[in-house]
Amino acid sequence: MKYYAVIDTNVLVSALLKWDSVPGNVLQFTITGVVTPVLNEDILREYREVLLRKKFHFPESVVDVILDNLAAQAVFINEEKLDVNLPDPKDVVFYEVVMEERKNQDAFLVTGNLKHFPVERFIVTPRQFLDILLGK
């Protein structure tokens, strides 16, 4: 089965901070092609901006490899703007992209911040998504 997911930036950061973790496993499934990342240019730009923050100490070369890999496998979306009010306005793009992709595929939004999004069965934590991927 093919899975499509918008990966929230916090999941990507957690994966790179601790590769041997649930977010790390989600990223591994994405890099190996089990999960197709769903992106747009704004999300890709946010990934790069956040991952290159000095506090994380991620080498730019590592960030480049990860983001190039994600972009190469991704479905890029031109999302429809939605009239949605979320606690963090920066999260709106993630919601818009998943909603646009859901018009064509059964896509998920994987986030460590469920409280930032509406309660929907397709908005899941990394643990919930990993369970879905493993058929649990």
Side-chain angles (χ1 to χ4, degrees):
M1 182 169 189
K2 192 69 173 164
Y3 297 92
Y4 295 82
V6 178
I7 308 292
D8 198 352
T9 310
N10 61 67
V11 176
L12 193 57
V13 169
S14 294
L16 292 178
L17 285 172
K18 187 171 182 189
W19 191 248
D20 187 22
S21 65
V22 171
N25 290 331
V26 168
L27 185 56
Q28 290 173 48
F29 274 115
T30 305
I31 288 171
T32 59
V34 173
V35 175
T36 298
V38 183
L39 301 170
N40 72 4
E41 292 299 329
D42 292 334
I43 291 173
L44 201 55
R45 200 170 13 263
E46 178 176 321
Y47 286 170
R48 177 169 299 286
E49 176 188 311
V50 171
L51 293 175
L52 290 177
R53 288 180 182 165
K54 292 183 189 257
K55 68 180 179 179
F56 295 124
H57 305 287
F58 299 137
E60 188 169 356
S61 60
V62 170
V63 171
D64 288 344
V65 167
I66 294 291
L67 297 184
D68 289 349
N69 188 293
L70 290 176
Q73 296 182 58
V75 171
F76 277 83
I77 297 295
N78 292 317
E79 75 284 0
E80 179 181 328
K81 298 299 179 192
L82 300 175
D83 184 21
V84 60
N85 188 15
L86 299 178
D88 183 350
K90 289 183 179 179
D91 288 333
V92 171
V93 67
F94 292 89
Y95 187 72
E96 290 172 337
V97 168
V98 77
M99 294 305 290
E100 189 68 31
E101 181 62 11
R102 288 186 60 75
K103 292 177 182 177
N104 302 311
Q105 310 286 346
D106 189 21
F108 295 88
L109 171 55
V110 184
T111 181
N113 295 319
L114 287 180
K115 67 181 185 262
H116 288 190
F117 296 95
V119 176
E120 299 280 359
R121 69 164 192 79
F122 58 87
I123 300 176
V124 296
T125 65
R127 166 54 63 202
Q128 290 168 321
F129 192 55
L130 188 58
D131 288 347
I132 291 165
L133 294 173
L134 298 174
K136 292 185 179 181

